[in-house]
Amino acid sequence: MITIIGAGKVGGEAALFAALKKLSDEILLLDIIEGLPQGEAMDLNHMLSEQGIDVNIRGSNDYSEMKGSDIVVVVAGSGRKPGMTRMDLLKINTSIVKGVVENIKKFAENSMIIPVTNPLDPMTYLTYKVSGLEKSRVFGMGNMLDLSRFKQFIHQATGYSRDSIQALVIGEHGENMLPLARYSSVSGIPLSSLLPKQKIEEIVRDTRQVAAKVIELKGATVHAPANAISSIIEAVVKDTKEVIPIATYLDGEYGYNDVSIGVPAVIGRNGVEKIVEVELDSDEKGWFRKGVDSVKNAISSMEF
Ligand code: NAI
């Protein structure tokens, strides 16, 4: 069973993707707003009925219903308004996510948790610490979304098929994210062979900033994050061993300790099965360090 806590824009759409991909027979949507998860579940089930897909979606306001969950997605909390950074959500979402994770600990202590609420990296750290789960069982979705944006810019700049584009983004899911142009390619052909340096720098910059643009235009980002959540769940339930950048707790990897931040990892039925360490040049190390500093700074101000 997959439980999604927070049946708002991203949570509802994540249920849609998970159901269409048949990632579980049963999906539970939980929210504190009475009626919202129930209504969302009805609407989704109507769609699934017509599609002939036997995935059952339930909506509830009762946390105890998540008993037996294999995977719990935490997407409860406030989203940023135009002009805000993800870090501006730290205070309000810390107390929400803490409460949610305490309930997961109570009712679904054997699950894996995928934090999504922003600011993603501090929320992943909080989730790991409060849940008491092994670090391999808590992995946040942030860079998977960032790389989908990076891919779109590469597609636009080259005109080549999206299917042939490989891209990697690591680091903070925030102002200091690190789109790794050196590790991104079109069918193995490095970006540096396809685009001028200036253009690569431009799309790296745009990748960092484009979410704010979407929020300015439509109020929230929805489809791309929901898809990214479903891709991570798919890697777990199908045990694909796909290398996906996720936010996880570092214990010396990349030279850092006691912080959760985005790094590439092998994702399979056991969650984070291995963190993949890629070599970074001095500029890349600088961005990664800025991300770590920002996340550590947030963590030190969190009360939980
Ligand atoms: P939304 O406002 O549409 O939905 C949030 C839902 O959480 C609401 O329905 C609210 O009632 C519910 N909620 C609040 N406290 C709760 C609690 N204690 N238990 C259960 N439900 C609770 O917001 P949206 O757009 O779905 O975004 C949700 C979060 O996801 C935000 O923090 C946003 O910044 C983050 N986000 C993260 C992304 C990522 O890449 N990691 C991408 C997109 C959004």
Side-chain angles (χ1 to χ4, degrees):
M1 177 166 109
I2 296 169
T3 294
I4 299 174
I5 307 182
K9 294 178 285 298
V10 178
E13 180 99 343
L16 169 71
F17 274 101
L20 288 176
K21 291 184 178 175
K22 302 182 193 165
L23 300 180
S24 174
D25 295 344
E26 216 183 333
I27 298 172
L28 172 66
L29 277 167
L30 281 177
D31 203 285
I32 43 167
I33 299 179
E34 275 182 37
L36 177 69
Q38 293 86 348
E40 190 67 24
M42 286 167 77
D43 194 8
L44 286 163
N45 282 323
H46 298 160
M47 177 277 296
L48 293 171
S49 245
E50 202 287 325
Q51 291 273 326
I53 295 175
D54 286 323
V55 172
N56 183 35
I57 305 191
R58 283 184 298 130
S60 176
N61 307 110
D62 179 358
Y63 282 115
S64 71
E65 290 203 27
M66 71 170 122
K67 262 193 188 121
S69 299
D70 304 295
I71 296 174
V72 181
V73 176
V74 179
V75 65
S78 290
R80 53 186 173 143
K81 312 281 176 296
M84 287 171 91
T85 69
R86 296 174 181 89
M87 278 299 181
D88 292 333
L89 300 167
L90 184 66
K91 202 162 179 204
I92 178 160
N93 285 344
T94 295
S95 62
I96 293 174
V97 171
K98 180 174 183 251
V100 165
V101 176
E102 279 164 350
N103 276 295
I104 301 173
K105 200 173 165 184
K106 193 159 154 198
F107 298 112
E109 71 281 10
N110 294 320
S111 62
M112 287 184 197
I113 309 179
I114 304 179
V116 177
T117 305
N118 275 318
L120 188 268
D121 305 289
M123 292 302 126
T124 303
Y125 181 89
L126 182 158
T127 302
Y128 167 59
K129 292 287 179 181
V130 173
S131 70
L133 288 174
E134 284 166 49
K135 60 185 177 144
S136 59
R137 298 180 78 80
V138 178
F139 35 104
M141 189 291 288
N143 290 156
M144 181 73 197
L145 169 61
D146 302 329
L147 82 77
S148 66
R149 293 172 174 148
F150 194 24
K151 276 187 172 182
Q152 172 63 6
F153 284 119
I154 296 169
H155 166 66
Q156 283 173 342
T158 60
Y160 299 143
S161 167
R162 288 170 163 148
D163 198 34
S164 58
I165 297 169
Q166 293 287 325
L168 182 59
V169 179
I170 65 169
E172 183 190 20
H173 176 62
E175 307 305 294
N176 305 297
M177 78 179 65
L178 174 54
L180 280 170
R182 283 196 311 131
Y183 292 105
S184 302
S185 73
V186 179
S187 293
I189 305 162
L191 286 193
S192 55
S193 304
L194 299 169
L195 296 169
K197 192 167 175 272
Q198 227 178 343
K199 185 70 189 169
I200 296 174
E201 284 167 4
E202 184 187 314
I203 63 179
V204 164
R205 208 169 41 243
D206 288 348
T207 301
R208 286 199 180 102
Q209 291 166 0
V210 71
K213 182 76 187 162
V214 179
I215 290 167
E216 184 190 316
L217 293 170
K218 66 166 273 195
T221 65
V222 181
H223 311 299
N227 172 64
I229 293 167
S230 74
S231 298
I232 295 175
I233 298 174
E234 187 170 17
V236 175
V237 300
K238 297 188 178 165
D239 192 26
T240 62
K241 318 286 189 203
E242 204 180 326
V243 177
I244 296 177
I246 44 77
T248 187
Y249 184 81
L250 298 188
D251 225 347
E253 296 89 353
Y254 287 87
Y256 294 98
N257 282 297
D258 199 32
V259 66
S260 298
I261 196 159
V263 290
V266 178
I267 305 295
R269 84 162 74 82
N270 302 311
V272 176
E273 300 193 350
K274 182 180 191 290
I275 291 174
V276 180
E277 292 194 66
V278 297
E279 167 267 325
L280 301 178
D281 66 22
S282 62
D283 185 49
E284 292 158 351
K285 277 185 183 152
W287 278 100
F288 193 83
R289 194 195 58 246
K290 277 208 273 180
V292 169
D293 290 347
S294 159
V295 175
K296 283 202 168 192
N297 187 36
I299 288 170
S300 68
S301 71
M302 277 158 73
E303 286 168 20
F304 62 89

